[in-house]
Amino acid sequence: MTITLTRPAVTVPAVADGFVERRPLRRLGLRKPVPFARLLGVAVILGAWVAGTHFGLIDERKLSAPWDVVATGWDLLVNGALLENIAASLQRAGIGLGIGIAVGTGLALVAGLSRTGEALVDGPVQVKRAIPTLGLIPLMILWLGIGESFKIVLITLGVIVTMYIQTHASLTTIDQRFVELSEVQGVSRGTFVRRVVIPGSLPGFFLGLRLSVTGAWLALIVVESVNAIDGLGKMMSNAQNYGQADVILVGLAVYGTFGLLSDAGIRLLERKVLSWRRTIAG
């Protein structure tokens, strides 16, 4: 007995010029970004705050009404107190960020490009990472006093660790094939660093930059409550002593605004610098 197996004919739809009709693609990645989409969550929270206050669901003694916060912020802006405190805070954060970014990135390059550098640098930085930066306040006061120096040093220490961890991680995860290709091509050490190492470490650098800016604002609000004469943290600390919830919320709103704007600016710069990179986020 003989059994004959036959494969059913498959009909392939044809189009003009002999080409086969292409199956429609199923998009699996993210859709195109919507402008200002990240503000949607902020708008929802603000809307809930307004609704809760309007319907009496929120105790205004603990959480002032949004319109009261806006009025207080305007008064502080008009009398100049808000601008003076913002300028003082920006100066401290700017100095700490600038020094921390430079030192943290430099240490990451030293540790990422040399085994000796990694042996000397990585261990101390990892130990510092395990120690909360704000836990160093008593020691910094003992060493540096309660002036401006200790505030800037604490911000700088936090930024150094964040920049080092992210940049060093990007450096040490560069594809080995790029290293081997550079060796085969016989490029110099300087060209290798400029054309392979630096581009390969930029994603981690920008991630560290975003986290460092956020960490600097978090540290700033704490250090400014220690014997500071100005700054947003000092303004909020004084408001706490007098039960002025609206002033505290004004300070938090300024922190949040600066944090959101700085993060958006870094994201924009990252997209410009890393325009050659194609990711799921677009």
Side-chain angles (χ1 to χ4, degrees), residues 71-227:
T72 300
W74 177 255
D75 292 339
L76 292 173
L77 184 63
V78 170
N79 63 31
L82 185 59
L83 291 179
E84 291 178 3
N85 289 316
I86 288 176
S89 294
L90 285 177
Q91 182 178 4
R92 295 185 183 110
I95 295 174
L97 268 172
I99 300 174
I101 291 170
V103 175
T105 305
L107 291 176
L109 290 173
V110 171
L113 297 176
S114 169
R115 289 298 184 185
T116 302
E118 185 178 30
L120 294 175
V121 173
D122 191 66
V125 174
Q126 296 297 338
V127 171
K128 167 59 191 72
R129 185 170 70 94
I131 301 174
T133 300
L134 298 181
L136 296 175
I137 289 180
L139 186 60
M140 291 295 105
I141 292 177
L142 180 64
W143 286 354
L144 304 173
I146 53 179
E148 290 295 307
S149 299
F150 110 90
K151 298 177 177 63
I152 294 175
V153 167
L154 278 177
I155 296 173
T156 301
L157 288 175
V159 173
I160 287 174
V161 173
T162 303
M163 290 301 305
Y164 173 86
I165 295 297
Q166 301 300 330
T167 307
H168 182 261
S170 287
L171 279 171
T172 54
T173 54
I174 293 176
D175 198 324
Q176 179 64 24
R177 290 174 296 178
F178 294 133
V179 180
E180 295 172 354
L181 178 61
S182 301
E183 293 172 348
V184 171
Q185 293 294 321
V187 301
S188 64
R189 181 73 170 177
T191 303
F192 171 71
V193 172
R194 186 175 66 255
R195 301 294 297 274
V196 177
V197 173
I198 293 180
S201 63
L202 283 178
F205 171 82
F206 279 109
L207 177 58
L209 192 58
R210 291 175 56 197
L211 296 176
S212 295
V213 171
T214 303
W217 286 115
L218 293 175
L220 184 67
I221 194 173
V222 176
V223 298
E224 284 188 337
S225 63
V226 181
N227 197 51

